[in-house]
Amino acid sequence: MGLFSIFRRDTSGKPGEWYYCLRHARVEEGPDCPAKDRLGPYPDRAGAERALRTARDRDEEWRTDPRWNDDPGNGPAGGPPEPGDTGR
């Protein structure tokens, strides 16, 4: 381990996997940028091109899912409801 190994880029991944790089705002194949700056891997370029839309859609689904809200009356300690709980 060299002196500057703590500053190495973590580019885990392999060629043939597609990512959307948040830092460069573009689709990249393989591990070009650090994992902290990427969404993916996706099996193909088209999936990586849709990465931001996919993330936005999933976030909206999570935000509007009645099983996951911050209403203290719906689930223990504001968490998800117990199995079988209808929230009433």
Side-chain angles (χ1 to χ4, degrees):
M1 182 182 277
L3 177 62
F4 292 101
S5 63
I6 61 171
F7 298 110
R8 70 180 176 84
R9 294 182 346 162
D10 182 8
T11 57
S12 61
K14 55 188 172 224
E17 293 178 328
W18 293 88
Y19 299 87
Y20 184 82
C21 178
L22 298 167
R23 185 172 188 192
H24 297 114
R26 69 178 182 218
V27 171
E28 298 176 348
E29 181 182 10
D32 290 340
C33 291
K36 69 181 181 69
D37 295 329
R38 298 178 291 171
L39 297 176
Y42 295 91
D44 54 33
R45 182 178 190 88
E49 288 171 346
R50 292 187 305 268
L52 291 178
R53 183 175 51 211
T54 299
R56 193 171 27 251
D57 291 348
R58 288 177 180 167
D59 185 51
E60 184 61 24
E61 286 176 27
W62 176 82
R63 192 175 19 253
T64 59
D65 187 333
R67 298 174 297 167
W68 297 96
N69 66 43
D70 293 330
D71 180 2
N74 189 19
E82 294 293 323
D85 184 4
T86 62
R88 295 180 205 182

